[in-house]
Amino acid sequence: MTVFEAELIVQRREFAAEGVLALTLRHPLGEPLPAWEPGAHVDVLLGPGLERQYSLCGDPADRSAWRIAVLREPAGRGGSAHVHEQLGEDAKVRVRGPRNNFRLEPAPRYRFVAGGIGITPLLPMVAAAEAAGAEWTLLYGGRTRGSMAFAEELGRYGDRVTFAPEDETGLLDLPSVLDDVPAGTLVYCCGPGPLLDAVEARCPSGVLRVERFQPKQQETGGNTAFEVELARSGRTLTVAPDVSVLDAVRDAGVEVLYSCTEGTCGTCETDVLDGEPDHRDSVLTDDERATGETMLICVSRCRGGRLVLDL
């Protein structure tokens, strides 16, 4: 499958909240950008070792431009600082995607929960739910009211959106939206890890969809060596205990798309033709893991001695 990758132009930059910079990106020749659906993200290639994933938070119907929003993280690894300091209007930046591991599934009712910059993938979801005539509410928390991005944009939805700045209201009142969830309701949540863990602990089985910015802590039984057969390449590799499948494949000269190397972006998801994966990602659902049809080769391993991959 061909993946769109191009150098785009920063058409507009504006602050969506304190420390949150929104960028509108367009094609330099005015060509339409690939279509996307709520929940999609793109890889922004900022330079060597600076590749980051940001959710698309504009209007999916507008293919003339993409919008992303980036929180300035002083203790981060340099990606957000580069965006804030280097990407002025008319700057060029390489972008790849879009990719979607957080799709909005059809439902008569939704309960959205956002923490901080986690509002970005939920923003177009709320608009889509509204357009579809679904019942929905959004509980949106942040450190302070001034730090909560797109608050004015969300204000048009009235009391269906509950703003909960921590310095005013304390921690999010999750029982108010997650206890007694009616049948047919889907819960979508994005934000920091502790919030996602708290929401997972309260949600009935099968109703929750989450997207993580940081990998979820995984309980593993340790690493052992195993073999990987690359069906299309005709190669069989030994993956050592201290080497990822991704690194073993790349060391063998086989090109494969990858990005975060943490199991959060989904870029390296690969079809499994035989064998049982040891899933260690933060992307696949429990049902997807149970099928064993795909795995994220940057972090996941093998439960047996051999895997056959469609590479």
Side-chain angles (χ1 to χ4, degrees), residues 14-38:
E14 58 184 333
F15 280 92
E18 296 169 5
V20 180
L21 179 64
L23 299 180
T24 300
L25 309 174
R26 63 173 176 82
H27 194 282
L29 300 179
E31 297 179 4
L33 298 173
W36 61 280
E37 296 178 352

Side-chain angles (χ1 to χ4, degrees), residues 7-225:
E7 195 170 63
L8 303 183
I9 302 293
V10 177
Q11 182 179 36
R12 182 180 181 185
R13 55 177 275 152
E14 58 184 333
F15 280 92
E18 296 169 5
V20 180
L21 179 64
L23 299 180
T24 300
L25 309 174
R26 63 173 176 82
H27 194 282
L29 300 179
E31 297 179 4
L33 298 173
W36 61 280
E37 296 178 352
H41 69 264
V42 292
D43 302 326
V44 181
L45 287 62
L46 300 168
L50 279 180
E51 184 172 322
R52 300 291 184 265
Q53 292 75 45
Y54 298 113
S55 298
L56 292 172
C57 58
D59 179 3
D62 180 8
R63 294 186 57 187
S64 69
W66 284 343
R67 183 175 69 171
I68 61 173
V70 181
L71 171 66
R72 177 72 180 258
E73 298 183 87
R77 296 174 295 166
S80 67
H82 182 98
V83 171
H84 278 246
E85 296 171 7
Q86 303 298 324
L87 297 187
E89 291 188 358
D90 296 325
K92 298 177 181 179
V93 61
R94 197 152 195 85
V95 180
R96 181 174 61 221
R99 184 174 291 103
N100 202 337
N101 307 306
F102 193 42
R103 296 184 185 279
L104 184 67
E105 301 171 24
R109 285 173 295 278
Y110 300 97
R111 293 189 179 177
F112 300 105
V113 181
I117 197 62
I119 189 60
T120 51
L122 300 186
L123 199 62
M125 289 188 181
V126 163
E130 176 75 1
E135 298 176 21
W136 64 271
T137 61
L138 167 65
L139 177 60
Y140 179 16
R143 292 179 293 101
T144 65
R145 193 171 293 273
S147 72
M148 299 172 69
F150 304 112
E152 182 176 349
E153 196 169 315
L154 288 164
R156 63 191 176 99
Y157 296 116
D159 60 7
R160 280 171 293 178
V161 178
T162 299
F163 295 96
E166 187 174 353
D167 64 340
E168 297 177 23
T169 64
L171 296 178
L172 287 179
D173 182 9
L174 296 180
S176 68
V177 294
L178 299 180
D179 289 358
D180 192 27
V181 175
T185 303
L186 290 180
V187 178
Y188 279 79
C189 181
C190 187
L195 171 63
L196 300 185
D197 293 341
V199 171
E200 282 184 339
R202 282 193 169 272
C203 271
S205 176
V207 307
L208 178 62
R209 309 290 185 268
V210 302
E211 182 166 64
R212 292 181 177 270
F213 297 139
Q214 299 295 329
K216 185 177 181 180
Q217 293 297 316
Q218 306 282 346
E219 293 185 7
T220 65
N223 293 348
T224 59

